[in-house]
Amino acid sequence: MKFSALYAATLGTLLGGIELLKAGIDPEPEPEPQQVAEVIAVPPKPEGAVPDLLGDGPSVRYTEEQCLKQQGDYRDACFHALALQRAERDPEGAVQACAELQDPLHSECVADVAELHARVDLEWSKRTCETIGPKKWRDQCSFGLALAWSVHDFDLARELCEDAGQWRNFCRHDVNGEVSQVDPEDALRWCNTAPQTDLQLKGCYHGLGKYLGRSDPDRGRAICLQVPRAQDIHPQQCFHGWGWALAESDADDALGRCGDAEDWGDSCRLGVSANMKRFDIERAQRICESVQSSDLRDKCSRFLLR
């Protein structure tokens, strides 16, 4: 999945602010982002690739001269956008644009450039990741390289996750989730057969449900039903991710679909409740109370108290 809407919206707001300043208009203040809470924690910049600020459709072309005229956050956002704009064809120039930023923005910017250039010259991107000082962002950079390759070379992307340090497990979760949207059977096969710790295996099945729940809920349900039942926690994790993803669009519809999860409806409801915790804690608690299994009901309620 693409890097979450939180990061894209934040940077997008700053970039929009630049254009508003040009027009002599002050942008309205953006409300504080809500904290994302989930069974699987999130890395510093949530799941997926860098925002497609320079993709299809009309877009602003930034220049160094233009950025130097800005101040504060608008200047930082401008130079970050300039770096992304240069990344594919002029990576050294992109890194120079990042040099105008102070940490942690500088490290984040360099990591984004490395990710965007990864499919042009992977070795250059690897070397660039190694230049990042803070370990958190150096590991995040390697995470980004894996995501850049996730739907193009499954095995390479999974291998790159091994360099993601503190984000290694999140990388495996997200990369295989990306793979599931291209080849769900391969993603399931990898969860079933790849050497993994218990935590990594739980995350692997969770990623299957979450990513397919967003892109193809019916296929996601079918894949989750194929998860081996040797340990209940594995299909539970898949349907937890599925329920979370469905609730992102429509919590009522998600709860209705949980009834189609056969033996794992309660796990789906836990996923919906975990998602709702971010927006409506009282409703999240009511969903917990609808969980039939006493063990899972208690687990659901305990999670809301975290």
Side-chain angles (χ1 to χ4, degrees), residues 15-252:
L15 293 172
I18 294 172
E19 300 308 310
L20 290 171
L21 281 181
K22 291 177 182 176
I25 303 172
D26 291 325
E28 294 184 2
E30 188 73 8
E32 287 293 317
Q34 292 177 299
Q35 180 67 37
V36 176
E38 186 182 351
V39 170
I40 305 292
V42 295
K45 192 195 317 180
E47 313 163 341
V50 291
D52 188 14
L53 299 173
L54 306 170
D56 296 336
S59 61
V60 176
R61 305 301 293 180
Y62 294 94
T63 66
E64 184 174 356
E65 293 75 15
Q66 177 187 11
C67 294
L68 288 170
K69 294 177 181 178
Q70 308 300 328
Q71 295 181 357
D73 289 341
Y74 303 110
R75 183 182 185 279
D76 290 344
C78 185
F79 272 111
H80 198 155
L82 177 62
L84 301 186
Q85 181 177 286
R86 291 174 172 176
E88 185 175 352
R89 295 193 175 106
D90 180 15
E92 299 296 344
V95 171
Q96 289 176 7
C98 292
E100 297 290 333
L101 307 175
Q102 300 296 314
D103 267 332
L105 295 179
H106 172 260
S107 295
E108 181 178 9
C109 180
V110 174
D112 287 346
V113 168
E115 179 178 341
L116 285 171
H117 198 70
R119 291 194 59 236
V120 178
D121 186 343
L122 179 58
E123 293 307 313
W124 181 92
S125 290
K126 286 182 176 180
R127 291 192 302 271
T128 299
C129 287
E130 288 302 313
T131 69
I132 296 175
K135 185 179 187 303
K136 177 178 78 171
W137 287 107
R138 191 165 63 250
D139 292 346
Q140 176 72 38
C141 188
S142 296
F143 187 169
L145 306 191
L147 286 166
W149 280 96
S150 58
V151 299
H152 304 284
D153 187 327
F154 303 163
D155 292 336
L156 173 60
R158 291 162 176 154
E159 179 183 336
L160 289 168
C161 282
E162 299 307 301
D163 296 326
Q166 68 188 93
W167 309 123
R168 178 173 176 244
N169 290 347
F170 304 114
C171 184
R172 294 165 68 104
H173 173 281
D174 287 359
V175 163
N176 202 54
E178 293 283 356
V179 170
S180 74
Q181 297 183 90
V182 178
D183 190 338
E185 285 73 24
D186 184 84
L188 177 61
R189 176 199 59 76
W190 190 72
C191 287
N192 291 344
T193 61
Q196 305 192 68
T197 66
D198 187 54
L199 179 61
Q200 289 169 347
L201 192 55
K202 292 175 185 177
C204 194
Y205 290 124
H206 188 275
L208 282 180
K210 187 172 182 180
Y211 277 75
L212 284 170
R214 288 169 173 161
S215 63
D216 190 341
D218 291 336
R219 192 72 175 274
R221 172 184 175 276
I223 288 292
C224 285
L225 288 173
Q226 295 177 49
V227 172
R229 300 188 177 202
Q231 295 188 53
D232 285 350
I233 191 62
H234 297 156
Q236 285 175 355
Q237 285 292 309
C238 192
F239 275 108
H240 183 285
W242 190 66
W244 170 282
L246 294 175
E248 290 177 335
S249 300
D250 187 328
D252 290 328

